[in-house]
Amino acid sequence: MHHLPTGGVGTADGEREGGGIAAEIAGYVYAEIEGWISALPETARVFLLDGVTDPQNLGAIVRSARAFAFDGVVLPADRSCPVTGAVFRASAGAAAHVPVVQVTNLPRAIERLQEAGFWLYAAEGTEGTELSTFAPAKRTAIVLGSEERGVRRLARERCDGALRIPMAPGVESLNVSVAAGIIAYSIRKPLTSPAG
């Protein structure tokens, strides 16, 4: 599942910071959507990001995806932050272990995931099914939008539904990476503990 050339982050001598990250990121390889879909397990969890441009947010989302056994993060080539050194650092190295799929057309990627048996839900703030009562399908994908605009209309219209995180009165929204962490924990697949 490594998506960096020459074995991921760092080297045998423990070089993990500074120039080591920069050298590895220069050759970052995104997962290709068809090969990634064909390798997905029967039960899968995925994030799709629509307009997340901040590298700290993207890195934190990838880190949550790794922590809660998500199977990938899909992002568009335009209006999105690419995987950079800052993203890699913010992900605490998780970007080497979680497939990141870059697509040219997010609505088309939504349709392709639906063809592969996914149910897709837009995280919409005040609309949709409350997260605490949400029962994810075997294959579930969550679309997260930018904090300014939310999920864009073309992507939202292709989703099967919407999902919301209940919050105290007067709070309009959460930081997108915080929302991703809450959602990832809530809809995670069963996590296995390391043997020992």
Side-chain angles (χ1 to χ4, degrees):
M1 279 295 180
H2 285 275
H3 299 283
L4 296 174
T6 64
V9 181
T11 61
D13 63 6
E15 179 188 22
R16 293 181 179 276
E17 296 297 331
I21 287 179
E24 297 287 2
I25 285 296
Y28 187 83
V29 179
Y30 293 96
E32 187 275 320
I33 190 165
E34 290 302 328
W36 169 70
I37 286 174
S38 69
L40 286 171
E42 184 180 351
T43 299
R45 301 285 183 267
V46 174
F47 278 131
L48 288 84
L49 309 183
D50 185 15
V52 174
T53 57
D54 181 86
Q56 299 299 317
N57 282 336
L58 177 55
I61 290 167
V62 173
R63 188 174 185 177
S64 288
R66 171 99 198 269
F68 300 113
F70 270 49
D71 299 284
V73 176
V74 179
L75 46 84
D78 66 330
R79 288 189 282 272
S80 178
C81 179
V83 176
T84 62
V87 170
F88 206 91
R89 284 186 292 274
S91 80
H97 302 279
V98 176
V100 178
V101 183
Q102 192 177 58
V103 297
T104 55
N105 185 305
L106 197 67
R108 176 66 193 119
I110 289 171
E111 291 173 355
R112 181 66 191 87
L113 284 169
Q114 287 168 329
E115 290 166 5
F118 277 84
W119 289 75
L120 282 94
Y121 297 87
E124 284 287 67
T126 58
E127 298 177 19
T129 303
E130 188 174 307
L131 185 57
S132 62
T133 63
F134 177 69
K138 274 196 167 187
R139 287 188 161 188
T140 297
I142 306 297
V143 185
L144 297 164
S146 71
E147 291 180 59
E148 297 78 28
R149 295 185 179 182
V151 178
R152 287 179 289 178
R153 182 181 58 83
L154 280 176
R156 188 175 64 248
E157 286 177 349
R158 284 168 172 76
C159 288
D160 299 294
L163 196 58
R164 65 184 173 87
I165 300 170
M167 292 178 283
V171 180
E172 289 187 13
S173 67
L174 292 167
N175 170 280
V176 65
S177 68
V178 172
I182 292 168
I183 292 168
Y185 174 78
S186 297
I187 70 165
R188 67 195 183 283
K189 299 184 291 185
L191 305 177
T192 56
S193 299

